Amino acid sequence: MERERFWSPYVAGAGIGLTLLAALYIFNWGLGASSAFSLLAAVAVKGLSPEFAGSLKYFSRQLSAASPLKNWVLFEVGGLFLGAFTGSILSGTIGLRFERGGHLSSGTRLLTAFAGGTLIGFSSRLARGCTSGVGLSGGAQLALSGWIFLISMFVSGLIAAAFLRRLWT
Amino acid sequence: MNSLLIAVIIGFFFGLFLERGGLGDPRKLTGVFYLRDFTVPKVMFTAILVAATGLYLLSDLKVMDLSRVWIVPTFFWPQVLAGLIFGVGFVLSGYCPGTSVASLASGRVDALVTMIGIGAGSLLFAVLYPSIQGFYVSSAMRNATLPGVLGLNHWIVLLALYVLAGGLFYLMERHERRG
């Protein structure tokens, strides 16, 4: 049974809520994810072309730190990987695979995975964070930002799914 | 203890609960958008209400100083538009940033492609930043909160959210049982 393979969503949700509360208590700062990607992109661009990176005003704040990679969110996301890895090993759900719901060809799936990621990366910067940093952390602070982001994301996702019915079914 | 080590530990539990809650699987992640699997809103709403209750309780008990917490700032229209774009990206890829990492950790190689895309999208934003900077900082409402905007006590807002969550959970469970 699919249901038995995972914990109750309410138990997992409560666990995430307590983890978020711990982050807020210890650091006065919530959970995040997308800024780690932005930081790595900035560092990668700087490695490839320091002049180009220097011309990007948005990246200058991240790159001006003495050691940009000694960053809280980057280590948190590293921990996220280890935690998910541990969880999938203990439950036996780990296994190499290439998800491509519906009847997508591998090429089409590569395209949807990359294009979807690009939209997510861009919009996360515009929102000042993603589902974790704005939706979850902002939502828990009862911040207006978190709730408007979550509502507009769900509305948009529902509409997109109606047009892309065969993508995941 | 070193704050970066604590960051790893906090991230570890975040990833463990995400994966064990089923959010390392793009089919479950996108299920809500197809109205067939409501794992994402159940996990998110529960997490938000547990953390919010704890945060405001600790603040009322003077254990925490809410004025020192970095509240996610509101930029109304940029965040509405960002949510709209994000939703399309979520359905297309099947992931969001945190869950793409959790999904790669359980062996899903396509999540790595999405992660590279997220980095590319961040770079795209940095490249376009000079021309969208005006919009990016528009409709600023600083650290606006629902209790502040509505002029209500935070426990009234939380109570309304508990009732809303309870109603939604009931409807979701009923809808899922019917298949």
Side-chain angles (χ1 to χ4, degrees), chain A residues 3 5 7 10 13 28 57 79-80 91 97 99 109 113 118 120 127-128 140-142 144-145 152 156 164 168, chain B residues 11 20 27 34 36 56 70 72 74 79-80 83-84 91 93 106-110 114 133 136 144 146 173:
Chain A
R3 280 189 158 277
R5 289 171 49 213
W7 293 347
Y10 305 111
N28 288 321
K57 190 177 154 198
L80 194 168
S91 60
R97 74 206 97 163
E99 297 277 8
R109 175 56 187 147
T118 308
I120 288 169
R128 280 91 175 154
Q141 297 166 343
L142 302 183
L144 186 63
S145 51
S152 105
S156 162
L164 301 164
W168 291 105
Chain B
R20 286 293 73 222
R27 274 165 241 276
Y34 293 92
R36 66 178 144 74
Y56 279 92
W70 184 81
V72 183
T74 299
Q79 280 160 341
V80 167
L84 294 178
V91 171
S93 67
S106 56
R108 293 173 167 88
V109 185
D110 54 307
T114 296
Q133 195 177 0
Y136 178 68
L146 294 181
E173 296 295 340

Side-chain angles (χ1 to χ4, degrees), chain A residues 35-46 59 62 69 74, chain B residues 115 119:
Chain A
S35 53
F37 291 85
S38 177
L39 176 66
L40 286 179
V43 170
V45 168
K46 193 183 181 188
F59 278 166
Q62 290 172 314
L69 293 177
L74 205 55
Chain B
M115 289 168 68

Side-chain angles (χ1 to χ4, degrees), chain A residues 145-162:
Chain A
S145 51
W147 290 90
I148 55 179
F149 179 77
L150 283 177
I151 291 169
S152 105
M153 178 192 87
F154 274 111
V155 168
S156 162
L158 283 170
I159 298 170

